[in-house]
């Protein structure tokens, strides 16, 4: 097993983060500092990260209903309670997948699987995160519409979000809004509402992917089963595959691609002196109809692409 994968499987960090640790000279194998990313770990090898021995553990995954006033971290130098403190009977070296602010409650996954963590938090995978916010002010569609197009926070535009107004109280001048986002930037939800003139005074994440907090009181956690973990993994994989194939469904890109390919067909036909118009028509139409697996040249037979 390659060293970066071994470190990730031990729950220390994702493979990419493990590579950074290796480059920094913080990883040793059998007492020797390792800087070669292709290093393979064999049975019996002693691996240490920053002077601490690591071992491959069984992968575990927990869903926690994080209460307010708890830090989304493994340890805290100020002595404040952390999310790991809420799972005292878990012996594996778990850590939170992403983070929730100190004063934000709700769904938080903890695991010792570095690769899984990377999948869940990477923006490209667009895992749905659903929040319910109580804000100061009377919200309406006109105020919230910019959220659906993206707003600028910290100099960078957010991805489009989906909102639902759950309750409006004009007397108390406050509203309750559900917001679904795919990113996980620092204080993102609060800053998005601030960008449209609403101040959050209470915030909770009610859903992560398909997982919700049913049956979990604040401070309680449960272990995820294999099916739930697999569903989360499939969400990430599906998003990746959709991203790769998105150009096929984009009419603008398809038009550009078709125009370029048509030019190629015309040039090729002239070069090969294909004078039979019916052959050229069949060849071109095969591409237009979506069959790009082959094309036929009268003088050269069928060719596979």
């Amino acid at each position: 097993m390659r060293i970066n994968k071994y470190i990730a499987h031990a729950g220390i960090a994702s493979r990419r983060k493990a590579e950074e640790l290796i480059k920094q000279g913080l990883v040793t194998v059998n007492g020797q500092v390792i800087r070669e990313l292709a290093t393979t770990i064999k049975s019996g090898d002693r691996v240490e990260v920053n002077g601490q021995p690591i071992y491959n553990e069984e992968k575990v995954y927990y869903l926690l209903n994080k209460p307010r006033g708890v830090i989304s971290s493994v340890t805290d130098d100020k002595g404040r309670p952390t999310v790991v403190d809420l799972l005292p009977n878990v012996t594996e070296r778990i850590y939170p997948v992403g983070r929730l602010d100190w004063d934000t409650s709700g769904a938080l996954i903890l695991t010792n699987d570095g690769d899984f963590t990377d999948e869940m938090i990477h923006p490209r995978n667009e895992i749905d995160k659903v929040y319910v916010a109580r804000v100061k002010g009377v919200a309406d569609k006109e105020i919230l519409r910019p959220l659906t197009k993206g707003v600028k926070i910290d100099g960078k535009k957010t991805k489009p979000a989906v909102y639902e107004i759950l309750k409006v109280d004009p007397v108390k001048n406050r509203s309750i809004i559900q917001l679904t986002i795919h990113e996980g930037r620092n204080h993102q939800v609060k800053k998005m509402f601030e960008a449209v003139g609403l101040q959050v005074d209470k915030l909770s994440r009610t859903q992560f992917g398909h997982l919700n907090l049913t049956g979990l009181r604040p401070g309680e956690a449960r272990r995820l089963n294999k099916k739930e973990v697999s569903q989360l993994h499939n969400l990430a994989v599906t998003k990746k595959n959709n991203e790769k194939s998105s150009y096929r469904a984009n009419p603008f890109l398809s038009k550009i691609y078709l125009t370029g390919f048509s030019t190629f067909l015309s040039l090729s036909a002239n070069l090969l002196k294909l004078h039979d118009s019916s052959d050229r028509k069949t060849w071109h139409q095969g591409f237009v109809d979506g069959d790009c697996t082959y094309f036929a040249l009268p003088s050269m037979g069928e060719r596979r692409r």
Side-chain angles (χ1 to χ4, degrees), residues 161-225:
V162 177
Y163 75 84
E164 181 180 352
I165 300 174
L166 302 180
K167 186 179 180 180
V168 174
D169 189 337
V171 176
K172 294 183 178 180
N173 189 38
R174 67 187 187 191
S175 307
I176 298 177
I177 305 163
Q178 177 177 285
L179 188 72
T180 302
I181 64 173
H182 301 130
E183 301 168 285
R185 291 155 63 181
N186 195 30
H187 308 303
Q188 179 168 345
V189 174
K190 294 175 183 176
K191 290 179 179 179
M192 288 178 72
F193 279 117
E194 287 176 5
V196 294
L198 300 171
Q199 184 179 347
V200 175
D201 64 16
K202 193 173 184 180
L203 182 64
S204 179
R205 183 159 70 190
T206 58
Q207 192 170 324
F208 188 104
H210 62 279
L211 299 175
N212 58 46
L213 297 170
T214 301
L216 291 178
R217 296 179 179 179
E220 292 183 342
R222 67 175 180 84
R223 187 167 177 172
L224 300 181
N225 58 44

Side-chain angles (χ1 to χ4, degrees), residues 45-295:
D45 283 344
R46 179 182 173 83
V47 181
E48 294 184 358
V49 175
N50 206 19
Q52 298 297 318
I54 65 171
Y55 311 93
N56 272 326
E57 301 178 315
E58 176 192 2
K59 297 297 171 285
V60 294
Y61 312 84
Y62 289 88
L63 175 64
L64 169 70
N65 186 350
K66 175 192 171 299
R68 301 178 77 184
V70 178
I71 304 297
S72 296
S73 179
V74 176
T75 60
D76 182 62
D77 55 8
K78 296 180 181 179
R80 293 171 294 182
T82 71
V83 290
V84 174
D85 295 333
L86 299 175
L87 291 85
N89 297 323
V90 177
T91 58
E92 291 83 6
R93 291 169 291 187
I94 58 174
Y95 52 86
V97 176
R99 65 186 301 274
L100 292 175
D101 292 342
W102 174 83
D103 58 350
T104 298
S105 62
L108 183 68
I109 297 174
L110 294 97
T111 184
N112 58 349
D113 187 339
D115 288 340
F116 172 84
T117 298
D118 196 40
E119 280 188 338
M120 293 301 103
I121 65 177
H122 201 293
R124 71 162 178 260
N125 294 333
E126 297 188 352
I127 304 296
D128 281 353
K129 303 174 185 72
V130 183
Y131 294 82
V132 172
R134 188 177 70 190
V135 301
K136 295 179 181 179
V138 176
D140 58 30
K141 293 180 179 180
E142 202 62 37
I143 292 174
L144 298 174
R145 185 172 290 114
L147 299 178
T148 65
K149 300 177 181 179
V151 293
K152 247 187 182 180
I153 61 173
D154 300 326
K156 185 179 178 181
K157 195 172 184 180
T158 63
K159 291 186 177 181
V162 177
Y163 75 84
E164 181 180 352
I165 300 174
L166 302 180
K167 186 179 180 180
V168 174
D169 189 337
V171 176
K172 294 183 178 180
N173 189 38
R174 67 187 187 191
S175 307
I176 298 177
I177 305 163
Q178 177 177 285
L179 188 72
T180 302
I181 64 173
H182 301 130
E183 301 168 285
R185 291 155 63 181
N186 195 30
H187 308 303
Q188 179 168 345
V189 174
K190 294 175 183 176
K191 290 179 179 179
M192 288 178 72
F193 279 117
E194 287 176 5
V196 294
L198 300 171
Q199 184 179 347
V200 175
D201 64 16
K202 193 173 184 180
L203 182 64
S204 179
R205 183 159 70 190
T206 58
Q207 192 170 324
F208 188 104
H210 62 279
L211 299 175
N212 58 46
L213 297 170
T214 301
L216 291 178
R217 296 179 179 179
E220 292 183 342
R222 67 175 180 84
R223 187 167 177 172
L224 300 181
N225 58 44
K226 291 182 179 180
K227 181 179 179 181
E228 290 172 319
V229 175
S230 178
Q231 287 174 332
L232 287 169
H233 171 71
N234 289 339
L235 277 177
V237 170
T238 300
K239 291 292 184 180
K240 287 179 186 176
N241 291 340
N242 287 346
E243 188 178 83
K244 289 178 181 178
S245 60
S246 62
Y247 76 93
R248 297 174 184 171
N250 188 314
F252 178 70
L253 293 178
S254 298
K255 184 177 180 180
I256 293 174
Y257 186 45
L258 180 57
T259 302
F261 195 77
S262 296
T263 302
F264 166 76
L265 294 178
S266 299
L267 291 171
S268 299
N270 288 331
L271 289 172
L272 293 170
K273 298 181 180 180
L274 300 178
H275 299 298
D276 189 327
S277 60
S278 63
D279 285 332
R280 289 198 299 274
K281 182 177 180 181
T282 302
W283 187 22
H284 186 272
Q285 193 61 39
F287 179 79
V288 173
D289 291 342
D291 183 2
C292 303
T293 58
Y294 69 91
F295 55 89

